[in-house]
Amino acid sequence: MSDDMAEQKATAAAWFRELRDRIVTAFETLEESHVEGPLSDRDAGRFDVSETTRASQDGSDAGGGLMSVMRGGRVFEKVGVNISTVYGVLGERAQAAMAARKGLPGMAEDPRFWASGISLVAHMQNPHAPAVHMNTRMFWTPHGWWFGGGSDLNPCIEYDDDTAHFHATQKQYLDPHGPAHYPRLKEWADSYFHVPHRGRARGVGGIFMDDYCTGDWESDFALTQDIGRAFLPAYLPLVERRRATRWSDADKDTQLIHRGLYAEYNLVYDRGTRFGLETGHDANAVLMSLPPLAKWV
């Protein structure tokens, strides 16, 4: 591995940590601003932070990360913001999947890998406030490197102006990289977050890319950073707008049923979930995305 790539890996991992810190601070600030009870209640709405590890078959260091989860907040019923940097050797199933998807027939001869990224899922107390998912990541093997990720909005009660703001903000951050990026990544998200057995989308879409590599690391990393930077301005205004909306038992029922759809997608189709579990990463961190409560009809 070249010195340049070692530096690029460190730069990417540091950015994912910086983005994590920004989001955690913003979410805790939002919770603090929603305090209406006595002072003792201010202890609610904080993230519990723990270290995670990846298990390697030979017991060697395989990396890990930080799992930050808030449960039972006033605004967030459950939200997780995880980062990890893991490395080692891909197992046979992961090698086969990588070789097939990327056209890398040499994976079996040299199956080393390195991956770093941030993953976020927020499930809200108020059914009118939308759930959301965001992740960005960098992946490396001796056969190449690439970036991936995006963010998508998952409201159980849809508002056209919320959807419009979410998409317009992402477009604003992507357009400096070229006008073709937003429509392409939007279409990619619409395809990726489709739930085939339900014949519908998981939510109202967003942006997404996978296995993204133009050969220009600096340019691709800058695009990945702006996908991350777009998240808070795209999402926080929607929560501010909806968090105090009055809701009924029927609204909560709608929310729980929609969460069932979200859980189905993540357990059946999401490649990140499968990769995390197959490569030995902390199962609690991998499954952090699941809602605290869900319902099926």
Side-chain angles (χ1 to χ4, degrees):
M1 180 177 61
S2 69
D3 291 340
D4 285 346
M5 182 50 64
E7 182 177 348
Q8 288 163 347
K9 287 180 179 179
T11 298
W15 160 250
F16 297 132
R17 174 59 189 258
E18 179 184 342
L19 181 59
R20 175 263 176 205
D21 292 348
R22 291 185 192 181
I23 293 170
V24 164
T25 297
F27 282 3
E28 289 188 339
T29 299
L30 183 63
E31 282 284 338
E32 180 70 16
S33 72
H34 203 61
V35 170
E36 297 175 351
L39 186 63
S40 61
D41 289 344
R42 293 177 182 271
D43 292 337
R46 297 290 178 184
F47 282 90
D48 292 325
V49 181
S50 58
E51 294 187 356
T52 62
T53 58
R54 175 180 172 266
S56 64
Q57 294 181 348
D58 61 4
S60 61
D61 178 24
L66 285 179
M67 178 170 63
S68 305
V69 182
M70 181 195 304
R71 300 177 179 86
R74 299 167 186 82
V75 179
F76 299 96
E77 187 171 354
K78 178 187 176 186
V79 54
V81 188
N82 294 351
I83 54 169
S84 64
T85 298
V86 296
Y87 38 82
V89 174
L90 291 170
E92 290 184 4
R93 289 179 61 184
Q95 289 176 35
M98 193 71 64
R101 193 169 83 248
K102 292 290 294 177
L104 299 174
M107 286 300 301
E109 286 70 41
D110 191 346
R112 290 175 297 147
F113 83 99
W114 177 98
S116 184
I118 178 172
S119 180
L120 174 155
V121 176
H123 298 288
M124 314 306 291
Q125 293 282 12
N126 192 320
H128 294 274
V132 74
H133 156 260
M134 186 275 292
N135 79 80
T136 56
R137 58 193 177 274
M138 176 185 166
F139 200 95
W140 171 92
T141 77
H143 313 281
W145 52 262
W146 51 92
F147 290 95
S151 60
D152 64 297
L153 197 66
N154 296 271
C156 66
I157 300 172
E158 297 181 14
Y159 291 93
D160 289 343
D161 51 345
D162 287 3
T163 301
H165 171 86
F166 190 76
H167 281 273
T169 304
Q170 293 177 326
K171 184 177 185 300
Q172 174 188 344
Y173 276 79
L174 292 187
D175 278 353
H177 300 274
H181 278 90
Y182 170 74
R184 182 185 177 204
L185 269 59
K186 179 185 182 300
E187 182 179 359
W188 210 332
D190 290 342
S191 174
Y192 185 76
F193 295 113
H194 181 74
V195 186
H197 67 272
R198 297 292 187 185
R200 57 158 294 177
R202 187 175 75 173
V204 295
I207 54 175
F208 180 76
M209 64 183 188
D210 208 0
D211 300 344
Y212 186 83
C213 175
T214 66
D216 184 336
W217 189 91
E218 296 289 346
S219 175
D220 294 352
F221 179 53
L223 174 64
T224 303
Q225 286 181 294
D226 276 341
I227 290 174
R229 291 188 183 106
F231 173 72
L232 286 174
Y235 182 60
L236 282 186
L238 311 184
V239 180
E240 292 280 10
R241 183 184 299 167
R242 307 295 174 190
R243 66 180 184 175
T245 302
R246 294 180 65 86
W247 50 272
S248 65
D249 289 343
D251 293 335
K252 197 66 176 179
D253 198 57
T254 297
Q255 181 190 53
L256 295 179
I257 292 172
H258 186 79
R259 285 178 177 178
L261 175 73
Y262 193 93
E264 289 174 9
Y265 176 86
N266 279 32
L267 292 173
V268 176
Y269 300 110
D270 187 72
R271 284 211 299 262
T273 300
R274 294 202 303 270
F275 179 83
L277 294 175
E278 288 180 3
T279 55
H281 198 56
D282 187 296
N284 289 328
V286 175
L287 298 174
M288 169 273 296
S289 61
L290 296 179
L293 295 170
K295 181 176 182 179
W296 284 263
V297 295

